[in-house]
Amino acid sequence: MKTCYIFGAGELPDRLSPQIGKEDFVIAADAGYEYLKRRNICANLVVGDFDSLGRCPEHPNVVEHSSIKDDTDTALAVEEGKKRGYTRFAIYGSLGGRLGHTVANLQTAARLAAEKCEVFLVGSDTVVTALHNGSVSLDTSKRGYISVFSALDRAEGVFLKGLKYPLSDAVLTSTVPLGVSNEFLGVEAEISVACGTLIVMWQESDFDPALSGCCFKSER
């Protein structure tokens, strides 16, 4: 599935090496441009107000915004990807750094899930996705901790299967962290929600969307 890759200014370790295909689209969001240059990854588009980068980059395709704006540079990059028909997003450098930006990226992920897009936020050792009225299966390669939170006031009909602490037809709320610090068991895990939006995060140090081990399904 073709993917829009966005590189931001958060945690971006050099060990990450996503397999970007010909149909994929790469956007540098502000200081993410320097990371791509360092890794010799060509950006199709550069977006931002460039307050973090400190200059408008010399690139043939730049969308420059005022620093007085309502959206983050990452959210603006997402909109550019959506304009080009992409519904699957891998947003590197979207975790860590300024906490406000991390929370903003979690909100962006929740919005994308509600719009029936697939999204991954990728940090140095954590991957986050969002799930709206559907399910995601994670394959047997996943190890370590996984946490599941409600992005809205309530998430109903929550099932956690193949994890150390299962849930069956549970209700998660935005004020009680019932789903924190679960664990993979070396078997396929499935997280589903009948009504609501979940934020799902797990430990992974070298995530590649092309080999994600994740399968999403939407409720009909």
Side-chain angles (χ1 to χ4, degrees), residues 87-164:
T87 59
R88 189 172 194 253
F89 294 86
I91 309 177
Y92 286 72
S94 50
L95 304 173
R98 288 160 58 184
L99 180 58
H101 279 283
T102 296
V103 174
N105 292 332
L106 293 172
Q107 291 184 327
T108 297
R111 176 170 56 83
L112 284 170
E115 294 171 349
K116 299 183 179 180
C117 294
E118 293 182 16
V119 57
F120 301 103
L121 307 181
V122 185
S124 62
D125 57 6
T126 303
V127 179
V128 179
T129 191
L131 183 64
H132 180 76
N133 295 359
S135 66
V136 62
S137 298
L138 304 175
D139 71 12
T140 59
S141 68
K142 307 303 181 191
R143 296 289 187 273
Y145 290 100
I146 176 171
S147 296
V148 181
F149 303 102
S150 178
L152 307 177
D153 289 342
R154 288 172 64 87
E156 301 177 352
V158 176
F159 289 81
L160 305 182
K161 301 176 182 179
L163 297 172
K164 184 174 182 178

Side-chain angles (χ1 to χ4, degrees), residues 55-215:
R55 69 185 191 284
C56 184
E58 296 182 2
H59 188 277
N61 298 309
V62 174
V63 178
E64 185 173 8
H65 292 268
S66 168
S67 60
I68 304 172
K69 61 188 190 306
D70 294 329
D71 275 324
T72 64
D73 292 331
T74 300
L76 293 169
V78 164
E79 291 304 310
E80 293 293 339
K82 287 167 59 180
K83 286 178 186 177
R84 291 160 174 80
Y86 286 85
T87 59
R88 189 172 194 253
F89 294 86
I91 309 177
Y92 286 72
S94 50
L95 304 173
R98 288 160 58 184
L99 180 58
H101 279 283
T102 296
V103 174
N105 292 332
L106 293 172
Q107 291 184 327
T108 297
R111 176 170 56 83
L112 284 170
E115 294 171 349
K116 299 183 179 180
C117 294
E118 293 182 16
V119 57
F120 301 103
L121 307 181
V122 185
S124 62
D125 57 6
T126 303
V127 179
V128 179
T129 191
L131 183 64
H132 180 76
N133 295 359
S135 66
V136 62
S137 298
L138 304 175
D139 71 12
T140 59
S141 68
K142 307 303 181 191
R143 296 289 187 273
Y145 290 100
I146 176 171
S147 296
V148 181
F149 303 102
S150 178
L152 307 177
D153 289 342
R154 288 172 64 87
E156 301 177 352
V158 176
F159 289 81
L160 305 182
K161 301 176 182 179
L163 297 172
K164 184 174 182 178
Y165 306 107
L167 286 177
S168 179
D169 200 19
V171 173
L172 297 185
T173 70
S174 60
T175 56
V176 178
L178 177 63
V180 71
S181 295
N182 213 321
E183 296 180 41
F184 290 107
L185 296 174
V187 300
E188 182 176 276
E190 182 177 336
I191 297 96
S192 63
V193 56
C195 182
T197 303
L198 299 178
I199 298 294
V200 182
M201 58 185 69
W202 65 91
Q203 293 176 297
E204 190 159 353
S205 59
D206 191 11
F207 182 78
D208 185 348
L211 306 168
S212 70
C214 304
C215 180

Side-chain angles (χ1 to χ4, degrees), residues 3-17:
T3 301
C4 179
Y5 288 84
I6 297 171
F7 291 83
E11 296 176 351
L12 280 166
D14 283 337
R15 68 173 178 273
L16 295 172
S17 54

Side-chain angles (χ1 to χ4, degrees), residues 20-56:
I20 300 170
K22 292 181 179 180
E23 293 187 341
D24 298 331
F25 195 76
V26 179
I27 303 176
D30 204 318
Y33 179 71
E34 287 293 347
Y35 176 82
L36 293 180
K37 281 186 64 178
R38 190 166 67 248
R39 295 296 309 280
N40 292 316
I41 299 173
C42 294
N44 300 105
L45 183 69
V46 185
V47 176
D49 58 15
F50 306 118
D51 59 344
S52 298
L53 188 61
R55 69 185 191 284
C56 184

